[in-house]
Each structure stands twice: as structure tokens, then as C-alpha cells.
Amino acid sequence: MPLFKTILHDSKTEILVWKITETFEQLLSEVKLNERSKARFAGMKSVSHQCGFLSVRKLLQEKGYTDFDLYYDEFGKPHLHDGRHISISHSHEFSTIILSDQNCGIDLEMQREKIITIAHKFAEHEFEFLKDVSEKNYIRQLTVIWGAKEAVFKIRNEVGISFKDHIHVAPFSIEMMQSVALLMFGSLNIKYNIFFEEVEHFTLVYAFQQ
């Protein structure tokens, strides 16, 4: 299908969301990959992952880019040759990119009960403001917390950063649609502005360094 949603965060930042309804064959026929991407694509074990990879390239096309405008550094972080900042995420039938003049990170996650059982692996002090949340909002807020930490990590992208120990999300409610996160790692003490919203039963989170 065409572009599912566009979010204009400000005059210099845009988020695009794609809902994958095309067949694998259709996506493959509409996207051209550079040689490095072809190798990555060939190594993917699931068709779902391949469709997510291709749909991200469809999003790039929406903004006049192609896969040849995109490259990855030695840490796996994506960049555009024109210098604009980009971050990428995909989950099941949705893919998203953020394009901005400032360094940014984005994450897209399906809301699932499973997150309750793994929450202790990525959250700690956040449980203090989650203790009185209803079960429905508990899953939604945990998903925001995970997405926020993932988005911050994509910005900093350093080996050794622990979601649980080094990235802390400030109290928030679903209605606020924003929060703040703090990265404390080694000599680093950096604050990030966090923004989020829900797309069907998924949570979209993006971050900028203050």
C-alpha cells in the first residue's frame, strides 16, 4: 500500500511509516539494492525480515532517496550521503524511518504481554512510577520504555551500554506522548527528549539529544 502515515515533528524532522501489505515479489520488483545491501538481504533467514528491509527502501523512495544514498558505519548505524540524519526500525507489518537535521533514533514495537516477563532485563527504577498503572497501560508504558531506550541507544550506539543500568526514563503517562531519558555511561551524562505515539497496536518512539 502507499505510505501509511507521515508525522511532521518540526520543520527539520519527519517520520514516515509504511504498512506492509504488498507481496514479497511486489516489493522486490519495486526496489533496487546496492551490492552491500544485496549481500545483507541474501543473508536474511525470514521473508518477514526481508519485506521489512525492502519496505524501508520504499520509505526512502518517498523522500527522493534510494538504497544507493544509504550506507552503514562499522557499528551498523545508518547514514545518508547528503549528511541528513536517519534512523530505521521495522516490526512485523510496519516499518518506519526518521529523517532530521539533528541526530535522532527511532524504534517501533508491537505491544505484547510478553514484555511483562522480560521487563526486569531492561527496566529498574522505572518500576517506581509503573506500580499503580492498570494492566492495559502497564504493557503500553513498558513498550514506550523499551522503545525509548532502543532509540537512545541508536543515537549513541556504543558497545557496553546497558538498557537497564545506563539508560533511565523519567515518569510519564500515555497521554503525555513525551518524556525524557538520561544516559549515564562512563563519563557520559546526556539527556534526551523522547516522543511517542501509537500506530494501531504498535508503539512508535523517537528521541533527540538535548
Side-chain angles (χ1 to χ4, degrees):
M1 70 175 291
L3 181 66
F4 182 78
K5 186 172 187 177
T6 299
I7 303 166
L8 297 175
H9 177 75
D10 56 34
S11 62
K12 297 181 179 180
T13 302
E14 190 172 7
I15 298 98
L16 291 83
V17 181
W18 191 276
K19 187 172 185 180
I20 305 168
T21 59
E22 302 87 352
T23 64
F24 168 81
E25 290 76 16
Q26 182 180 350
L27 282 171
L28 188 60
S29 70
E30 295 175 352
V31 172
K32 291 184 178 181
L33 300 175
N34 64 45
E35 291 304 314
R36 183 175 179 183
S37 290
K38 286 179 181 178
R40 289 185 62 197
F41 182 77
M44 295 175 184
K45 296 181 179 180
S46 75
V47 172
S48 175
H49 194 186
Q50 288 178 322
C51 285
F53 187 84
L54 294 172
S55 64
V56 165
R57 274 68 192 166
K58 292 288 289 182
L59 288 171
L60 287 171
Q61 291 175 11
E62 290 287 327
K63 300 308 298 179
Y65 293 104
T66 72
D67 186 58
F68 293 84
D69 297 304
L70 183 72
Y71 70 97
Y72 294 81
D73 63 24
E74 64 271 28
F75 303 108
K77 185 174 181 176
H79 300 269
L80 289 168
H81 286 295
D82 68 2
R84 291 205 80 198
H85 294 281
I86 183 172
S87 187
I88 294 168
S89 185
H90 50 82
S91 178
H92 300 270
E93 69 267 32
F94 281 102
S95 297
T96 186
I97 63 173
I98 182 170
L99 300 168
S100 182
D101 287 356
Q102 57 180 317
N103 204 354
C104 52
I106 197 166
D107 190 56
L108 182 66
E109 297 289 339
M110 179 187 284
Q111 298 167 5
R112 296 183 289 180
E113 289 187 5
K114 179 183 177 182
I115 199 167
I116 296 174
T117 63
I118 63 171
H120 66 282
K121 296 182 179 181
F122 65 85
E124 187 168 42
H125 88 281
E126 291 89 358
F127 289 122
E128 287 300 312
F129 67 84
L130 289 174
K131 59 187 177 184
D132 297 321
V133 178
S134 68
E135 182 177 352
K136 179 182 177 182
N137 278 351
Y138 188 61
I139 293 171
R140 294 165 75 192
Q141 287 193 259
L142 278 174
T143 308
V144 171
I145 291 167
W146 170 265
K149 296 188 178 195
E150 185 71 43
V152 167
F153 180 78
K154 287 182 177 180
I155 294 174
R156 194 67 203 183
N157 205 42
E158 283 193 34
V159 175
I161 292 176
S162 162
F163 283 16
K164 180 177 180 177
D165 299 329
H166 303 136
I167 307 174
H168 308 291
V169 180
F172 66 92
S173 67
I174 292 297
E175 293 73 25
M176 290 168 62
M177 298 179 67
Q178 64 183 56
S179 184
V180 174
L182 178 63
L183 171 64
M184 294 184 293
F185 178 64
S187 62
L188 300 176
N189 195 320
I190 306 172
K191 286 186 177 180
Y192 297 84
N193 292 323
I194 305 295
F195 301 90
F196 60 88
E197 64 177 83
E198 296 179 338
V199 180
E200 294 188 358
H201 54 293
F202 290 75
T203 298
L204 175 70
V205 188
Y206 52 102
F208 307 95
Q209 183 174 327
Q210 288 189 359

